[in-house]
Amino acid sequence: MKEYQKIKGTQDFFGDAILKLRYIENIASSTIKHFGFQEIQTPIFENTDVFIKNVGEESDVVSKEMYTFKDKSDRSITLRPEGTAAVARSYLENKMYANSLPLTKLFYFGPMFRYERPQTGRYREFHQFGVEVYGESSPMLDCDVILSAYTIFSKLGIQNIKLKINSIGNQMSRNHYSQALKDYFQDHIHEMCTDCQRRLNTNPMRILDCKADKDNPILKNAPKIHDYLTDESKSYFDEVIHYLNQFSIPYEIDLNLVRGLDYYTDTVFEFIIESDDELNGLAMGGGGKYSDMIKSMSDRDIPGIGYAFGVERILAIMDKQNAWKELNKGVDVVIIGLDEESKLCGFHLMQELRTENLTVEMDYKNTSMKSQFKLCDKLHPSYIVIIGEEERKTNIYQVKDTSTKTQIGISRNEILTYLHTQLSIKGGN
Ligand code: HAM
């Protein structure tokens, strides 16, 4: 018999894993709402051009990692490898700039797809939580966006996060820098991979994040963007750092940080984890400012800034750091019926309690006390309601508190109120 298997680099989420994914999503989205963001959901696939034009033809994401296919009408379609270009497309298409507010602040959560070599923290389908802000260029906004990510990480209880930050300058800085890189790499290019040889002419900055040549000393000694920043870009970056210094975020200016996507200008940043195992140095999230993307997609000159973090990476780090709180509220009540008629009474009670927002389970089949208690051992309910012949006659059901192991008789009509009161005292409801 053929055994079906999931596609390499993908994961099934069930049991604790799906609860963890939702927990991260809930904390991130409830936190970001306090920063004035509203949710957006764009399609999982887009016209391929959306990514080629904006993420950049020479980026690894576009040139090697996209899931691109032709649909039945011969259109080129791509499963989104990231959210920024797709959200920008939606922002423009839906004329969100016409909103009376000066800024449009959007957040999203969902799967992204990249054909990468699967390894620790790297998947072919992964989830991102991301934010994008359109409408203003301001160092204080850059700092605010970084703070929003840091607040989410803190609310999740993650420790040992470091912010790496750099400026890759405005377009003019980048033009000077590209020329400097061309001059520098010209003499060494024959020692580098074929991709880098091509990038020398098409987009020399992408040589800096080449995975094949990442340990090559030629890369390490390459000119640094900082020496080519215009005065405007320099003072913008100084101001971002000035604001960051007012807060207690551990950060490091990393002059080698350029980010692998073409749309960035000026501020770029990444959050990495410091740990003593294979997760050390892993990028939990990254982002930056992009002043020219909207202009290149439309006739509007609107700057943007944003970031995204990888939910699977956050999940792995929270596992390592034992950072999970109140993951699974569990089951409130299990109902036990000791004969067929009692089971039917229990079945009715279960429906009634569920409509009043309690989580209730019962064993549909067995009538013996012993086998029904097996379900309690698995589900760990806060309360067990026991119904037998005597209880039916008197209309007083036995209610057992599993934490104190005490049992009392409660009138059938008062069970709902009793359970609600007790569970809210325990903080469960
Ligand atoms: P990115 O750095 O390509 O940026 O991805 C952001 C985060 O997604 C990474 O730091 C990492 O945590 C996670 N990630 C990326 N690839 C994988 C993978 N194959 N498996 C698991 N996790 C992964 C962007 O995507 C930009 N759109 C961020 C942004 C938003 N910039 C401005 N706005």
Side-chain angles (χ1 to χ4, degrees):
M1 194 73 133
K2 180 174 162 43
E3 272 189 33
Y4 293 100
Q5 290 185 335
K6 60 185 179 297
I7 288 172
K8 193 174 165 192
T10 66
Q11 294 190 89
D12 296 317
F13 286 89
F14 59 94
D16 274 1
I18 189 75
L19 293 176
K20 289 173 177 177
L21 195 82
R22 295 287 168 248
Y23 178 83
I24 296 170
E25 179 183 4
N26 289 340
I27 298 273
S29 40
S30 58
T31 305
I32 206 70
K33 283 178 188 160
H34 297 304
F35 286 79
F37 284 76
Q38 292 186 342
E39 187 165 8
I40 181 168
Q41 185 172 308
T42 59
I44 301 269
F45 48 41
E46 295 275 346
N47 288 312
T48 303
D49 267 3
V50 170
F51 302 110
I52 294 187
K53 296 250 167 68
N54 297 295
V55 177
E57 225 156 335
E58 278 300 342
S59 65
D60 275 359
V61 168
V62 167
S63 63
K64 298 182 183 161
E65 297 168 2
M66 292 211 305
Y67 280 92
T68 296
F69 57 94
K70 287 276 172 79
D71 72 4
K72 294 201 191 304
S73 304
D74 214 31
R75 295 183 195 95
S76 180
I77 304 286
T78 293
L79 298 186
R80 62 181 184 196
E82 61 104 53
T84 311
V87 173
R89 190 270 309 138
S90 174
Y91 169 76
L92 284 169
E93 189 171 345
N94 293 296
K95 301 188 173 45
M96 292 183 216
Y97 45 79
N99 194 320
S100 57
L101 291 169
L103 296 178
T104 306
K105 298 180 175 184
L106 303 169
F107 78 91
Y108 49 92
F109 181 97
M112 307 289 158
F113 306 85
R114 295 186 192 175
Y115 191 77
E116 290 197 83
R117 201 143 59 87
Q119 50 184 270
T120 309
R122 186 175 293 160
Y123 300 95
R124 290 184 174 170
E125 183 193 36
F126 59 99
H127 295 77
Q128 277 188 348
F129 176 86
V131 313
E132 312 295 343
V133 183
Y134 306 99
E136 203 168 279
S137 177
S138 141
M140 193 185 262
L141 171 63
D142 293 14
C143 178
D144 193 32
V145 167
I146 291 169
L147 286 172
S148 75
Y150 201 73
T151 308
I152 293 172
F153 295 143
S154 306
K155 289 244 162 135
L156 288 169
I158 301 174
Q159 283 161 1
N160 303 329
I161 291 181
K162 193 195 247 171
L163 168 70
K164 288 191 168 196
I165 186 164
N166 193 20
S167 172
I168 57 167
N170 56 16
Q171 198 53 52
M172 204 197 292
S173 321
R174 303 263 293 274
N175 292 346
H176 294 158
Y177 185 49
S178 284
Q179 191 53 51
L181 286 176
K182 265 188 194 165
D183 297 344
Y184 171 80
F185 282 119
Q186 197 74 55
D187 296 338
H188 307 284
I189 202 69
H190 57 280
E191 303 160 41
M192 304 186 73
C193 74
T194 47
D195 282 335
C196 286
Q197 294 180 13
R198 194 188 59 248
R199 288 166 178 150
L200 182 69
N201 293 316
T202 54
N203 190 344
M205 257 179 90
R206 289 281 72 89
I207 297 179
L208 300 174
D209 47 57
C210 171
K211 286 182 185 123
D213 271 321
K214 72 177 184 331
D215 297 322
N216 192 332
I218 294 165
L219 276 194
K220 297 220 158 88
N221 300 326
K224 304 281 180 264
I225 179 74
H226 240 69
D227 299 324
Y228 297 86
L229 294 185
T230 59
D231 289 345
E232 195 190 341
S233 282
K234 254 189 210 145
S235 68
Y236 188 95
F237 188 57
D238 289 345
E239 261 196 83
V240 175
I241 297 298
H242 164 74
Y243 287 121
L244 263 188
N245 282 336
Q246 330 260 318
F247 299 90
S248 51
I249 297 185
Y251 77 87
E252 172 191 305
I253 297 176
D254 178 354
L255 300 183
N256 291 317
L257 182 70
V258 291
R259 306 266 306 135
L261 314 163
D262 272 1
Y263 45 67
Y264 294 114
T265 49
D266 287 303
T267 317
V268 287
F269 55 89
E270 265 176 16
F271 289 95
I272 59 142
I273 193 82
E274 295 184 310
S275 89
D276 52 10
D277 52 26
E278 79 280 4
L279 298 176
N280 188 39
L282 196 66
M284 331 240 308
K289 186 167 145 71
Y290 46 94
S291 297
D292 302 328
M293 186 202 280
I294 299 289
K295 200 165 39 181
S296 73
M297 293 172 97
S298 66
D299 53 3
R300 286 171 195 276
D301 189 1
I302 302 173
I305 177 169
Y307 63 80
F309 59 71
V311 179
E312 286 76 0
R313 293 187 185 182
I314 304 273
L315 199 155
I317 284 155
M318 289 180 70
D319 276 346
K320 271 266 148 58
Q321 297 188 352
N322 223 345
W324 301 105
K325 285 183 222 131
E326 48 184 86
L327 232 206
N328 182 0
K329 202 159 78 61
V331 170
D332 297 318
V333 184
V334 165
I335 297 176
I336 289 180
L338 297 174
D339 53 71
E340 287 307 327
E341 215 172 309
S342 302
K343 286 196 95 69
L344 189 59
C345 291
F347 191 60
H348 278 278
L349 178 63
M350 180 165 78
Q351 306 310 327
E352 194 180 312
L353 298 181
R354 282 175 174 168
T355 50
E356 295 300 328
N357 303 327
L358 297 186
T359 309
V360 190
E361 286 289 351
M362 69 183 282
D363 177 331
Y364 303 105
K365 231 165 110 188
N366 295 298
T367 46
S368 86
M369 181 83 99
K370 195 172 161 213
S371 43
Q372 291 184 76
F373 259 100
K374 281 191 189 145
L375 184 67
C376 300
D377 291 343
K378 283 194 185 138
L379 297 178
H380 306 292
S382 304
Y383 287 88
I384 302 171
V385 176
I386 303 161
I387 313 167
E389 201 183 336
E390 182 63 23
E391 284 73 25
R392 271 190 286 117
K393 261 197 229 145
T394 56
N395 234 2
I396 307 236
Y397 291 4
Q398 293 300 311
V399 179
K400 182 171 179 173
D401 180 332
T402 57
S403 59
T404 60
K405 310 247 183 305
T406 50
Q407 187 170 314
I408 53 168
I410 305 279
S411 153
R412 163 73 175 83
N413 296 338
E414 283 161 18
I415 286 188
L416 173 64
T417 319
Y418 175 79
L419 290 171
H420 258 167
T421 315
Q422 294 301 312
L423 287 162
S424 71
I425 293 170
K426 290 184 181 185
N429 262 282

